[in-house]
Amino acid sequence: MDFGRVTPAELEELDFKLPAEPLFNKKVLKGKPVKKPQAWLGCAKWGRKEWIGKIYPKGTKEALFLPEYVRHFNSIELNATHYQIYGPDTISKWDASAKGMEFKFCPKVPQTISHFSNLSPATAGPKTTSFLEGVLAFGKHLGPIFLQLSDKYGPAKRKALYDYLASLPTDLQFFLEVRHKEWYEDEAVRLELFDKLRELKVGAIITDTAGRRDCAHMHLTVPKIFIRFVGNSLHPTDYTRIDDWANRIKYWLDNGLQEIYFFMHMHDEALSPDLAAYLADRIEAVCGLQVKKPQFVKE
């Protein structure tokens, strides 16, 4: 994932401290912990050949990547659906790999909808129906569905966005990621967006990446979080950033957070399992939640 990538020199100068807790979140969190919060950890793709001999056994064939993946993580940010609308037959085959497991597939809305339709009912509506008909085949393994808008989609088009979000089925959990800088630069626009998402019960994705600190906004519009973390190939700041996240998540859990979805990205994806394992250990140590974590191949 290259979004927010910076040069090594710029990386040394960045302040990665997470923003202060917004007062806005008091509208969403009830102020006391829930009995059984859940934590889901994963990456964006299962088809990583770099993981053969690392977490996948040596000699693992591509057809067995997904069955191997579900042994190491309990969720996936399913980027495959961003590039193609899959029908129930294919989705059911993927779902079978997680049979009997506590696992969540979190499909990404296809780019034909998110990037190329302007979210107009005539073009986005039928495609959204086809997309949802497919991913519903995940059944109990279906996690939140996330809509990532193009970085060219700004607040000037927000009416179309709000109308589209209002048209989505309310019995499914959706999250939204916006990238155009104007969503964050104007406080009135930013708060209007978060208020609208809270009204519609749509989550706001938090993206923590080096070159776009505005996307690490810390606003919760539902009592669940969906974090897309972009590491820098195990640079020392990757670990201190994870430490900060563990502390913030602990605060949110103490105040009523129900679910955590945390997805690990790297510019060098070969290293994602390493930082994911560190995150799982910190969540357990700081928050008291056990999270399934990668198991590395023993030499």
Side-chain angles (χ1 to χ4, degrees), residues 22 42 104 212 235:
K104 295 294 184 183
R212 284 294 304 275
H235 186 273

Side-chain angles (χ1 to χ4, degrees), residues 78 81 91-92 94-95 105 107 134-143:
L78 188 55
T81 56
I91 298 294
S92 295
W94 292 345
D95 180 65
F105 292 89
V135 300
L136 285 173
F138 281 128
K140 67 178 183 179
H141 291 139
L142 178 61

Side-chain angles (χ1 to χ4, degrees), residues 24 27 183 186-196 219:
F24 180 94
K27 301 177 183 180
W183 290 108
D186 187 315
E187 183 179 9
V189 169
R190 184 173 69 250
L191 292 179
E192 178 195 271
L193 171 66
F194 293 138
D195 272 325
K196 177 58 71 171
H219 287 73

Side-chain angles (χ1 to χ4, degrees), residues 49 55 76:
K49 293 182 180 179
I55 60 172
I76 187 164

Side-chain angles (χ1 to χ4, degrees), residues 222-243:
V222 294
K224 305 173 184 181
I225 56 170
F226 191 122
I227 298 164
R228 307 183 78 214
F229 182 96
V230 186
N232 293 288
S233 302
L234 304 183
H235 186 273
T237 56
D238 287 352
Y239 296 98
T240 55
R241 290 165 65 195
I242 292 296
D243 292 344

Side-chain angles (χ1 to χ4, degrees), residues 8-287:
E10 291 172 319
L11 185 60
E12 298 298 331
E13 300 297 324
L14 278 171
D15 179 5
F16 281 106
K17 184 178 180 181
L18 295 176
E21 180 69 4
L23 289 174
F24 180 94
N25 291 352
K26 291 185 179 293
K27 301 177 183 180
V28 175
L29 299 179
K30 302 300 184 183
K32 59 181 181 179
V34 299
K35 289 184 178 180
K36 293 183 178 180
Q38 293 180 296
W40 309 91
L41 170 62
C43 296
K45 300 177 181 177
W46 61 71
R48 306 303 316 194
K49 293 182 180 179
E50 311 99 300
W51 295 351
I52 297 174
K54 188 182 187 78
I55 60 172
Y56 297 169
K58 293 180 180 179
T60 300
K61 303 299 183 184
E62 288 189 33
L64 296 177
F65 281 177
L66 178 54
E68 282 297 325
Y69 179 94
V70 300
R71 295 178 55 246
H72 298 281
F73 301 96
N74 66 355
S75 188
I76 187 164
E77 184 196 279
L78 188 55
N79 272 333
T81 56
H82 188 55
Y83 302 103
Q84 181 179 339
I85 294 177
Y86 292 92
D89 289 348
T90 298
I91 298 294
S92 295
K93 291 176 182 177
W94 292 345
D95 180 65
S97 295
K99 185 177 181 180
M101 295 183 175
E102 291 292 322
F103 189 90
K104 295 294 184 183
F105 292 89
C106 301
K108 190 175 184 178
V109 171
Q111 61 183 353
T112 55
I113 300 168
S114 60
H115 286 53
F116 306 129
S117 76
N118 284 320
L119 302 182
S120 68
T123 53
K127 292 177 181 178
T128 300
T129 298
S130 296
F131 164 64
L132 293 178
E133 285 175 347
V135 300
L136 285 173
F138 281 128
K140 67 178 183 179
H141 291 139
L142 178 61
I145 299 165
F146 73 107
L147 170 66
Q148 177 198 87
L149 294 182
S150 162
D151 56 6
K152 297 178 181 178
Y153 197 106
K157 301 177 182 178
R158 60 186 179 274
K159 184 182 186 305
L161 170 62
Y162 298 157
D163 288 347
Y164 176 76
L165 293 175
S167 76
L168 296 172
T170 57
D171 58 339
L172 298 174
Q173 180 64 68
F174 291 87
F175 274 80
L176 173 71
E177 180 185 49
V178 293
R179 292 183 167 186
H180 194 294
K181 290 186 177 182
E182 288 181 7
W183 290 108
Y184 301 107
E185 290 172 342
D186 187 315
E187 183 179 9
V189 169
R190 184 173 69 250
L191 292 179
E192 178 195 271
L193 171 66
F194 293 138
D195 272 325
K196 177 58 71 171
L197 296 183
R198 183 172 65 90
E199 174 190 326
L200 296 172
K201 295 182 172 56
V202 172
I205 287 177
I206 299 171
T207 303
D208 184 348
T209 186
R212 284 294 304 275
R213 303 311 297 155
D214 53 344
C215 294
H217 54 75
M218 298 296 112
H219 287 73
L220 307 185
T221 56
V222 294
K224 305 173 184 181
I225 56 170
F226 191 122
I227 298 164
R228 307 183 78 214
F229 182 96
V230 186
N232 293 288
S233 302
L234 304 183
H235 186 273
T237 56
D238 287 352
Y239 296 98
T240 55
R241 290 165 65 195
I242 292 296
D243 292 344
D244 287 346
W245 268 114
N247 291 329
R248 182 62 62 96
I249 290 170
K250 174 66 163 61
Y251 176 82
W252 285 337
L253 287 168
D254 288 345
N255 284 277
L257 187 69
Q258 297 173 4
E259 278 192 287
I260 302 156
Y261 290 87
F262 200 114
F263 295 103
M264 193 64 66
H265 295 260
M266 283 278 185
H267 303 310
D268 178 1
E269 293 291 1
L271 300 172
S272 292
D274 302 74
L275 199 57
Y278 181 79
L279 169 66
D281 288 340
R282 296 308 298 156
I283 292 293
E284 182 174 359
V286 176
C287 306

